[in-house]
Amino acid sequence: MDKELMFIIENKELYLEREIVTLDIPLLFVCIDNSHQRYLCLCTDSDELSYLVAESKDKNIINLLESTIPMKDAFKLCDKIWKIITQDNIIEDEINKVIYDDIPSIDLPQDGATLGFTNPYLDEYKEIIKQELEEYQTSFEIYRRIALFKCSHRSIKLKSMNNNTHLIESYSQNKENYYSFNTTISV
Amino acid sequence: MNTEKIDYSKFPSVLKKVLDDEIYSFPKETLFKYEPKLVYRVINRSPDVVDEDISITREDFKSYIELGKKYRGKTTISHYSCSFFTKKDELEAILKLPRPNKRIIKGYIKDIHGPIYLNNRSHVDLWLYKDVNLSSEFELEKR
């Protein structure tokens, strides 16, 4: 399916990934750029067609979808936020970086209000993000252990055994001393 | 979707035109025959207006395209429909978003009003026939 370009911020193209709340147009949604960075997006005025776009950690999006944090806090926890007033031509959008504390409360969700619902479409999305996080954490843990192992061994070989098990073989150059261990990564 | 030929002349002219020109077509899962469904919709009203002063009008059921509103992204046939929800919780989330100048209305939609498309959320696209006026069949959901 064609990707739907929503914004261009600092030369990064942001594509619509998932609508969370929609009323004729997406009101609360997630965009993603080509480096797989996700952005939480909120329509602040559907007549003027203006938005708040916040660079978000994946865990923050999961928390919003699971209603464990208020929607407003999901924006507060983002380091970079932009206010966008759209124009007919996307490259002419008026884009300004803003500080959370300077955002008028009228442009934010109600105090303390959580999303408060889910559906199969959002459940599926949550699982996608969780799976990605798990894979990322597993990879990170493997490379961390490899890095530690490399400190004391000349050469190593990595074999993926299954989803979570990775055999790290380590041996010296003449293979006189052969070490191996089986490690199960739990994330 | 029914295989019988759809009479596009039953739809408002803006929708008829894009269907005639084959710019858009109804999703294949579109239902032309269905049992009456209780649905909810939001309408724009100032939060200061009391319930008794709110009257529901035909304008409240116009599609995004008919209202001539701006949008970002690709146009789809969904923009030519009137949006409803089968569950109130998704609409309640809308009321928590910025500029809460919205109120919830509820009523039954029937196949005589137009074809519908249901997705895996609780959202319903209803492509209203041009002579249908739902205003008298919907009522305000009390706050």
Side-chain angles (χ1 to χ4, degrees), chain A residues 109-127:
Chain A
Q110 286 175 10
D111 279 339
T114 57
L115 184 64
F117 77 93
T118 191
N119 55 44
Y121 174 78
L122 294 181
D123 289 341
E124 178 203 44
Y125 185 51
K126 269 184 283 188
E127 288 311 308

Side-chain angles (χ1 to χ4, degrees), chain A:
Chain A
M1 204 165 83
D2 290 344
K3 293 195 290 185
E4 195 164 344
L5 180 63
M6 296 299 282
F7 310 107
I8 301 174
I9 301 175
E10 297 177 354
N11 295 320
K12 290 175 190 155
E13 295 177 341
L14 277 59
Y15 296 93
L16 177 65
E17 189 186 34
R18 192 68 53 135
E19 298 173 23
I20 301 173
V21 178
T22 298
L23 181 69
D24 298 322
I25 59 167
L27 297 178
L28 179 64
F29 54 102
V30 177
C31 281
I32 191 164
D33 69 18
N34 289 323
S35 64
H36 219 74
Q37 170 65 51
R38 289 192 166 91
Y39 301 80
L40 202 49
C41 308
L42 178 68
C43 179
T44 52
D45 188 330
S46 60
D47 292 324
E48 186 186 49
L49 217 55
S50 57
Y51 297 88
L52 284 178
V53 177
E55 193 178 288
S56 175
K57 290 188 170 70
D58 289 349
K59 183 70 182 143
N60 191 40
I61 293 170
I62 291 173
N63 288 339
L64 178 137
L65 294 171
E66 291 184 335
S67 299
T68 54
I69 57 168
M71 293 185 277
K72 196 172 182 174
D73 289 8
F75 283 87
K76 191 176 184 176
L77 291 168
C78 295
D79 293 331
K80 292 183 188 172
I81 306 177
W82 295 268
K83 166 89 177 173
I84 300 180
I85 300 172
T86 62
Q87 308 296 322
D88 291 340
N89 188 341
I90 202 163
I91 59 169
E92 292 171 358
D93 281 357
E94 196 180 303
I95 303 173
N96 289 299
K97 205 167 183 176
V98 292
I99 296 165
Y100 177 83
D101 290 340
D102 293 342
I103 300 169
S105 60
I106 195 169
D107 284 346
L108 287 164
Q110 286 175 10
D111 279 339
T114 57
L115 184 64
F117 77 93
T118 191
N119 55 44
Y121 174 78
L122 294 181
D123 289 341
E124 178 203 44
Y125 185 51
K126 269 184 283 188
E127 288 311 308
I128 289 170
I129 302 179
K130 282 180 181 176
Q131 181 69 33
E132 284 178 8
L133 274 175
E134 202 168 294
E135 284 167 9
Y136 173 78
Q137 284 166 357
T138 303
S139 307
F140 180 82
E141 180 60 17
I142 290 167
Y143 286 113
R144 190 184 70 81
R145 291 192 192 190
I146 288 171
L148 286 172
F149 225 68
K150 269 188 167 175
C151 294
S152 53
H153 300 84
R154 288 169 190 265
S155 183
I156 61 164
K157 196 184 278 180
L158 175 70
K159 289 178 185 170
S160 288
M161 309 299 284
N162 59 39
N163 278 348
N164 277 334
T165 308
H166 304 272
L167 180 71
I168 299 176
E169 291 180 342
S170 172
Y171 46 88
S172 64
Q173 219 165 16
N174 60 13
K175 297 197 178 180
E176 282 172 358
N177 298 309
Y178 181 87
Y179 306 92
S180 72
F181 70 86
N182 214 351
T183 178
T184 303
I185 311 294
S186 299
V187 290

